[in-house]
Amino acid sequence: MNLTNLPISISDEVQSALKDNLPIVALESTIISHGMSYPFNVRLSEEVEKIIRHHGAVPATIAIINGVIKIGLSEEEVEFIATDRSVKKTSKREIPLLLANKGCGSTTVSATIFCAALIGIKVFVTGGIGGVHKDAQYTFDISSDLTELSNYNIAVICAGAKSILDIGLTLEKLETLSVPVIGYKTDEFPAFYSRESGFGVDINAESVEKVAMIMKYKWDLGINGGIVVGCPIPRQDEIPAEEMAGYIKKAVKEAEKESIKGKYLTPFMLQEIHTHTRGKSIDANISLIKNNALIGSKIAIKYCELTATKCIV
């Protein structure tokens, strides 16, 4: 794809990494704009980028600012995303609308996958992927994250799917889309706040080398599409699944009472869970994202060591 005439701006740091085939880790920006309050959102963004750099990779936080896709944000741009209320939560389907309207948006998982893949980034770190919502057989509420995972060659490092989702059906959908699900040092797919979900993975990868080998073999064979790498939240920070079930049940009842549906459901549920856990869920969220950043950096480094092909914009 020729990107020359498209409104895309790549930071000097990311440009240099692409040229020299250095490991790059893509990061979403929705957690900055809608995930938590200021200034904690900025602080977390800085800490995650610091973890990635410390372990030898290059962070590439992605957002849309004034109709331009920005890959690699400056401190000023992160501050803007964190504080300006005009910034819209943006999925892939909304990207051309924002570009045409010179708008500003924070990228969700689906949008970040698309933007990262545009320039050949192979590793993306997030908190948790979207998926199939409960009662989806009636609502047809299935996150576009899953579709985009099947469209682009990228490994998404996450703490599983958000526990408010139907994890079993989410895994079934990923199988239908031919997206492999890897457990990083686990036989069980993690459930975001909880280490266990009751559902298995396709393979337990005991090392970052094994994950990188799977990535390389998959794409070298011409088997297009992404890979999900589920990394359990650090044990000391998890909220056990049985405890989370009670909080989710309360949040569901409140959502039904308020008639919250569609794209507003997930942020509403997460806010309700935050309230019911008295902030414990936010601490867990921060812990799992930092853990994913550490693991994602190591995977990106190992993948770069296994491949001699340079990323060319």
Side-chain angles (χ1 to χ4, degrees), residues 27-30 62-64 69 89-95 105-118 124 144-145 148 152:
L27 298 166
E28 62 164 283
S29 51
T30 291
I62 297 173
I64 298 170
I69 297 172
K89 184 178 179 181
T90 306
S91 64
K92 176 191 168 184
R93 71 170 187 160
E94 295 156 334
I95 292 174
S106 58
T107 53
T108 61
V109 169
S110 69
T112 308
I113 287 173
F114 171 74
C115 294
L118 277 177
F124 164 39
S144 62
D145 293 358
E148 299 315 317
Y152 301 102

Side-chain angles (χ1 to χ4, degrees), residues 14 57 64-65 85 95 107 111 120 123 130 142 144 157 173 180-181 183 191 200 209 212 217 230 234-235 263 269 287:
V14 175
I64 298 170
I65 299 178
R85 305 319 303 165
I95 292 174
T107 53
V123 175
I142 302 175
S144 62
I157 318 304
K173 182 66 174 177
V181 177
E209 289 84 359
Y217 281 133
R235 193 175 299 278
K263 67 179 181 179
M269 293 276 289
S287 171

Side-chain angles (χ1 to χ4, degrees), residues 189-208:
F189 191 62
F192 200 65
Y193 301 118
S194 310
R195 293 176 61 84
E196 300 174 348
S197 66
F199 296 93
V201 293
D202 295 322
I203 187 173
N204 179 342
E206 292 290 348
S207 66
V208 295

Side-chain angles (χ1 to χ4, degrees), residues 125-301:
V125 162
T126 187
I129 60 170
V132 180
H133 283 260
K134 298 179 189 298
D135 298 323
Q137 66 269 36
Y138 305 113
T139 64
F140 290 88
D141 194 350
I142 302 175
S143 172
S144 62
D145 293 358
L146 304 187
T147 305
E148 299 315 317
L149 267 162
S150 71
N151 286 338
Y152 301 102
N153 296 352
I154 193 165
V156 178
I157 318 304
C158 61
K162 296 179 177 69
S163 48
I164 62 174
L165 302 170
D166 188 317
I167 293 179
L169 290 183
T170 297
L171 292 172
E172 289 285 354
K173 182 66 174 177
L174 286 169
E175 181 180 356
T176 300
L177 295 170
S178 296
V179 176
V181 177
I182 301 169
Y184 181 69
K185 297 185 178 181
T186 180
D187 293 312
E188 193 160 330
F189 191 62
F192 200 65
Y193 301 118
S194 310
R195 293 176 61 84
E196 300 174 348
S197 66
F199 296 93
V201 293
D202 295 322
I203 187 173
N204 179 342
E206 292 290 348
S207 66
V208 295
E209 289 84 359
K210 181 63 66 69
V211 176
M213 285 175 63
I214 292 169
M215 293 164 61
K216 186 175 188 300
Y217 281 133
K218 183 178 192 293
W219 299 325
D220 282 358
L221 286 167
I223 304 174
N224 291 323
I227 295 171
V228 172
V229 183
C231 307
I233 181 174
R235 193 175 299 278
Q236 68 272 17
D237 297 311
E238 82 162 325
I239 303 174
E242 57 272 19
E243 183 180 341
M244 276 305 306
Y247 299 136
I248 292 170
K249 189 174 181 180
K250 290 179 182 178
V252 167
K253 285 185 177 180
E254 194 61 29
E256 290 174 348
K257 179 182 175 182
E258 299 291 333
S259 298
I260 305 295
K261 299 177 182 179
K263 67 179 181 179
Y264 302 104
L265 181 60
T266 296
F268 177 86
M269 293 276 289
L270 294 178
Q271 182 56 49
E272 285 295 304
I273 289 170
H274 168 62
T275 300
H276 293 311
T277 61
R278 298 181 181 179
K280 189 177 178 182
S281 64
I282 293 292
D283 293 337
N285 201 343
I286 292 170
S287 171
L288 65 86
I289 290 171
K290 289 182 178 180
N291 184 59
N292 294 345
L294 185 154
I295 296 168
S297 300
K298 293 180 178 180
I299 291 171
I301 291 167

